[in-house]
Amino acid sequence: MVIVMKSGHTQEDLEAVIARVEKLGLRPHVIRGEFRSVIGCVGDERGKTALQALESLDAVESVLPILQPFKLASREVKGTKTVVQVGDLAIGGERIVVMAGPCSVESEEQILATAAVVREAGATVLRGGAFKPRTSPYAFQGLEEEGLKLLARAREATGLKIVTEVVKPEDVDLVADYADILQVGARNNQNFALLKRCGEVKKPILFKRGMATTIKEYLQAAEYILAEGNYDVILCERGIRTFETATRFTLDLNAVPVLNDLTHLPVIVDPAHGTGHWKYVTAMSKAAIAAGADGLILEVHPKPEEALSDGVQSLKPKVFAELMKAIKPVAMAVGRTL
Ligand code: PEP
Ligand code: MN
């Protein structure tokens, strides 16, 4: 349910309504809009009828049901787009945000060299996995905390923000100590214990779609993070499993306009994992921006042929710089900047 407050209500009015909601055993989430505030009330559906009665309060304009199963993520609760602020960087605003870097952090030399080239070409966020969820237990699993330290060093050297993956609930605080944005990967899309922990930290979450989750399931999974009070969630389409084998996954660009319709959360696209081959990344990056994405996450490696993970889909620095030039006119054509 969502409680729409009358315009011109006082802070005391708001607090009084919040107290009533809590008394009914529901969790209130205050969303301040441009013109009025609303309170998204989530929890046991049985509190619904009693909540409806709050419509009789002077400061309350109406109490409405939220029809979508994803409540706080839905446009029904918040019509205006969410802009996730990462320090001075806005994700979901007019400017397209490009996150780039290696699949895995491999060494100081590798991450510092990559950070320098992606920054030079115009990226504002450095990616790099320190904890890697690999399909095989025998594949490189990441440098763990040492990798986080190297990322922090690259941030110091370049001023880039850092996004890196967390795979276990017990590592969330450690990763949050180093990262500017925590990534939750496709394989953990429905790891609800991890999502709840990510809801408790005060860092934005880059939440990737699962390779076999529908858009509705995806948004309900995102709801786990929002329901714990972390509203800074960035969604990411990264390809789904289909019958097609010519590419690693099928990048579902339908998801971009559909998500923009259903949710206020920013949406970025990962054409590296979505296609699985560097040759296709530039075309799908342009397509993603044309479709309405707020940004891209790309894999870049100084020597892709030596990469410890995802070398085939990683761009050489020169190709990345060309990509950045190629997406600019597309961004401008859809009213965005880069
Ligand atoms: C990654 O970003 O390197 C990664 C493992 O991505 P995904 O979770 O989308 O497979
Ligand atoms: Mn990867």
Side-chain angles (χ1 to χ4, degrees):
M1 303 286 275
V2 58
I3 301 175
V4 183
M5 299 295 291
K6 281 192 181 143
S7 53
H9 68 80
T10 64
Q11 182 62 26
E12 287 87 76
D13 292 333
L14 190 72
E15 278 163 20
V17 179
I18 289 172
R20 300 282 285 263
V21 173
E22 282 171 343
K23 216 165 155 203
L24 292 170
L26 294 164
R27 190 152 175 191
H29 295 262
V30 179
I31 297 149
R32 289 173 205 277
E34 209 175 317
F35 303 108
R36 64 189 68 209
S37 299
V38 304
I39 308 171
C41 306
V42 291
D44 194 325
E45 296 281 298
R46 283 169 295 187
K48 245 178 181 174
T49 341
L51 204 62
Q52 196 76 51
L54 299 190
E55 225 166 37
S56 59
L57 294 175
D58 277 348
V60 172
E61 170 136 334
S62 53
V63 180
L64 304 165
I66 308 169
L67 300 177
Q68 295 286 15
F70 42 89
K71 309 288 178 191
L72 302 170
S74 107
R75 285 268 191 189
E76 292 172 64
V77 161
K78 186 167 179 275
T80 55
K81 183 119 187 165
T82 290
V83 177
V84 172
Q85 210 57 53
V86 189
D88 56 353
L89 177 70
I91 302 177
E94 191 182 292
R95 186 164 174 217
I96 301 287
V97 172
V98 178
M99 311 181 182
C103 178
S104 307
V105 180
E106 297 168 4
S107 67
E108 177 162 16
E109 188 193 359
Q110 174 241 23
I111 197 68
L112 289 180
T114 314
V117 294
V118 300
R119 190 193 112 116
E120 177 68 23
T124 45
V125 181
L126 176 68
R127 64 148 291 148
F131 293 91
K132 295 300 302 176
R134 304 304 301 279
T135 303
S136 163
Y138 309 120
F140 176 58
Q141 304 285 311
L143 296 180
E144 305 191 338
E145 190 169 1
E146 181 53 25
L148 297 175
K149 288 184 179 156
L150 296 179
L151 283 167
R153 220 165 288 162
R155 168 174 50 209
E156 252 168 60
T158 58
L160 292 168
K161 310 280 188 248
I162 300 298
V163 59
T164 193
E165 182 162 355
V166 58
V167 296
K168 297 200 295 290
E170 56 270 37
D171 288 340
V172 167
D173 290 325
L174 173 72
V175 178
D177 279 345
Y178 290 92
D180 299 296
I181 306 170
L182 277 65
Q183 177 175 324
V184 174
R187 288 156 190 82
N188 273 317
N189 188 271
Q190 290 185 314
N191 180 343
F192 301 124
L194 178 63
L195 300 180
K196 283 186 189 175
R197 275 299 291 122
C198 286
E200 290 164 2
V201 290
K202 304 241 169 314
K203 287 276 166 87
I205 310 297
L206 170 55
F207 182 43
K208 289 188 154 195
R209 180 181 179 186
M211 60 189 82
T213 47
T214 65
I215 290 172
K216 262 197 178 164
E217 287 164 345
Y218 180 28
L219 289 174
Q220 287 174 89
E223 187 77 12
Y224 271 89
I225 307 172
L226 300 172
E228 296 301 322
N230 187 350
Y231 308 125
D232 288 335
V233 175
I234 304 148
L235 300 173
C236 178
E237 163 58 38
R238 49 77 70 209
I240 54 173
R241 269 274 149 79
T242 68
F243 56 82
E244 184 54 72
T245 53
T247 49
R248 187 179 177 192
F249 294 97
T250 297
L251 188 65
D252 179 18
L253 286 185
N254 286 355
V256 177
V258 174
L259 287 169
N260 278 334
D261 191 31
L262 295 176
T263 178
H264 49 86
L265 297 171
V267 179
I268 70 163
V269 170
D270 175 347
H273 292 87
T275 63
H277 202 294
W278 69 269
K279 273 197 290 189
Y280 310 131
V281 169
T282 301
M284 296 316 283
S285 296
K286 291 195 262 186
I289 294 170
D294 298 302
L296 299 168
I297 183 162
L298 301 162
E299 290 188 333
V300 178
H301 196 290
K303 291 183 190 146
E305 63 285 0
E306 290 175 17
L308 296 181
S309 58
D310 287 349
V312 183
Q313 67 197 35
S314 298
L315 306 173
K316 290 185 178 159
K318 185 168 163 282
V319 179
F320 175 67
E322 285 161 7
L323 177 150
M324 290 297 285
K325 287 201 184 100
I327 61 175
K328 192 162 185 173
V330 181
M332 287 168 71
V334 292
R336 312 290 290 256
T337 54
L338 189 67

